[in-house]
Amino acid sequence: MKSPDQSQRFLFDKHPIRGQYVSLDASWARIVEQSGLEGRALLLLGEALAAMVLLVDTLKIKGSAILQVRGSGPLGLLVVEASSENQIRGVARQTSEITDEMDLAEIFGSSYFVITIKTEGAEPHQGIAPLRGANFAEALEHYFATSDQLTTRFWLACDQETTSGMLLQKLPGKSADEDAWDRLCMLADTLSPQELKLAELESLLFRLFHQEEIRLFESSPIEFFCSCSRERTGAMLLTLGKPEVLDVLEKEGDVSVTCEFCNQHYHFDSIDVEQVFLSADGIKPSTVAH
Ligand SMILES: [Zn+2]
């Protein structure tokens, strides 16, 4: 039996190649329910999510990896985040029909996606990558191949119940066996989406790479978690500006904000709003950039 909601690292003992596997179930179900999506939109959300878990685990940072697309297509917004604390969240918004013939650029109505790496105590790093191909595995592989990063391949599979992925990454250093990378990738290409989603990792690795010596590391449990808070929502109101917020307050009676990742509601009445802007006034001099 496959263990649910986990990420696991593995290493080929004889080649400078590492791997990472992820399978998300209950954590994914929570996001599926929240999203209300189905079909290809849901698939893309799941693929992006699995890919970011794989990515954040290979980076070995304390922080998070975020994939974001905004455009004018049927799926005009997609944001997923995976943290080194093994927490995930994601959201996508679909406004019109996606047909089978559409490629990524048409689905999103954009020619690029953004990957942000947030590391604790450092400025976030953003990479902009073209939305090439029909799925995120292709788009990400292109990004890795053209952005001065380690050669990396992704295998991603997703449905309503599970989203899974596997990554192979070529590490720096010479291999005594020059064909190893191509051979291992070719073997991984024989993976069916069904296997990727349902098989237990050890048997999956045995099926693919039984001629190799593989070191399997301990798995980490992954859970759904949203980092939104009342404080952060208040900070967002600040960026809107006081006149705009007061305008909403006057029309609606209170300011209500719903988090798109977790559906949490935050209400601010007139006193709350005053407090938000008052506390901001107090700290302004030190936060103004010169
Ligand atoms: Zn939230």
Side-chain angles (χ1 to χ4, degrees):
M1 259 292 277
K2 179 187 90 121
S3 348
D5 294 285
Q6 56 145 0
S7 173
Q8 202 163 357
R9 191 177 296 169
F10 55 94
L11 198 64
F12 292 89
D13 268 339
K14 299 237 164 91
H15 318 292
I17 295 171
R18 72 172 163 206
Q20 183 83 33
Y21 171 80
V22 64
S23 191
L24 306 171
D25 311 272
S27 56
W28 169 234
R30 169 72 205 267
I31 293 168
V32 171
E33 190 195 337
Q34 170 82 14
S35 78
L37 295 172
E38 49 187 32
R40 254 177 111 189
L42 188 77
L43 222 93
L44 288 169
L45 181 62
E47 284 181 357
L49 206 53
M52 285 308 101
V53 176
L54 295 171
L55 183 61
V56 83
D57 283 338
T58 58
L59 290 173
K60 295 181 182 165
I61 51 158
K62 201 165 163 40
S64 64
I66 301 161
L67 187 154
Q68 200 174 125
V69 200
R70 284 171 200 276
S72 55
L75 196 62
L77 169 83
L78 183 146
V79 187
V80 299
E81 178 171 17
S83 80
S84 55
E85 307 298 303
N86 301 315
Q87 291 165 336
I88 55 160
R89 61 177 188 162
V91 66
R93 204 182 299 139
Q94 184 175 6
T95 48
S96 59
E97 203 196 333
I98 298 169
T99 58
D100 289 343
E101 307 80 58
M102 288 181 174
D103 64 12
L104 278 191
E106 289 167 322
I107 291 172
F108 287 105
S110 171
S111 55
Y112 66 92
F113 65 103
V114 180
I115 287 191
T116 309
I117 307 298
K118 281 190 189 165
T119 313
E120 235 178 62
E123 285 289 308
H125 174 268
Q126 279 202 336
I128 294 177
L131 270 172
R132 289 270 184 96
N135 56 51
F136 275 120
E138 287 176 28
L140 282 161
E141 283 167 10
H142 182 263
Y143 171 61
F144 272 80
T146 54
S147 63
D148 194 29
Q149 301 193 57
L150 298 173
T151 302
T152 306
R153 291 275 323 264
F154 289 86
W155 291 265
L156 306 169
C158 173
D159 62 21
Q160 291 268 353
E161 280 81 38
T162 309
T163 183
S164 293
M166 188 174 82
L167 163 157
L168 291 182
Q169 192 164 59
K170 210 171 172 177
L171 299 169
K174 270 233 168 280
S175 172
D177 177 359
E178 285 296 330
D179 300 326
W181 172 255
D182 289 341
R183 190 174 67 243
L184 298 184
C185 287
M186 235 155 71
L187 289 167
D189 279 334
T190 67
L191 263 179
S192 73
Q194 213 55 12
E195 266 182 302
L196 198 52
K197 280 181 295 196
L198 301 176
E200 185 261 333
L201 180 59
E202 258 175 87
S203 61
L204 192 144
L205 291 179
F206 182 77
R207 210 280 275 156
L208 294 175
F209 311 121
H210 53 89
Q211 284 167 324
E212 305 290 338
E213 281 169 42
I214 295 179
R215 212 176 326 156
L216 201 55
F217 293 82
E218 231 175 272
S219 66
S220 322
I222 308 271
E223 59 171 7
F224 172 84
F225 177 77
C226 188
S227 51
C228 71
S229 66
R230 191 173 170 80
E231 203 184 347
R232 286 185 184 199
T233 311
M236 191 203 75
L237 294 182
L238 276 179
T239 64
L240 285 176
K242 201 168 179 181
E244 184 138 338
V245 176
L246 288 178
D247 196 39
V248 176
L249 200 60
E250 197 176 316
K251 279 184 195 141
E252 314 281 336
D254 74 345
V255 179
S256 136
V257 180
T258 302
C259 173
E260 286 191 274
F261 290 101
C262 69
N263 221 14
Q264 175 76 42
H265 303 290
Y266 296 98
H267 293 285
F268 294 82
D269 63 17
S270 54
I271 295 169
D272 299 330
V273 167
E274 284 304 331
Q275 268 172 350
V276 164
F277 284 94
L278 207 65
S279 58
D281 283 342
I283 55 164
K284 236 175 202 164
S286 61
T287 53
V288 171
H290 292 285

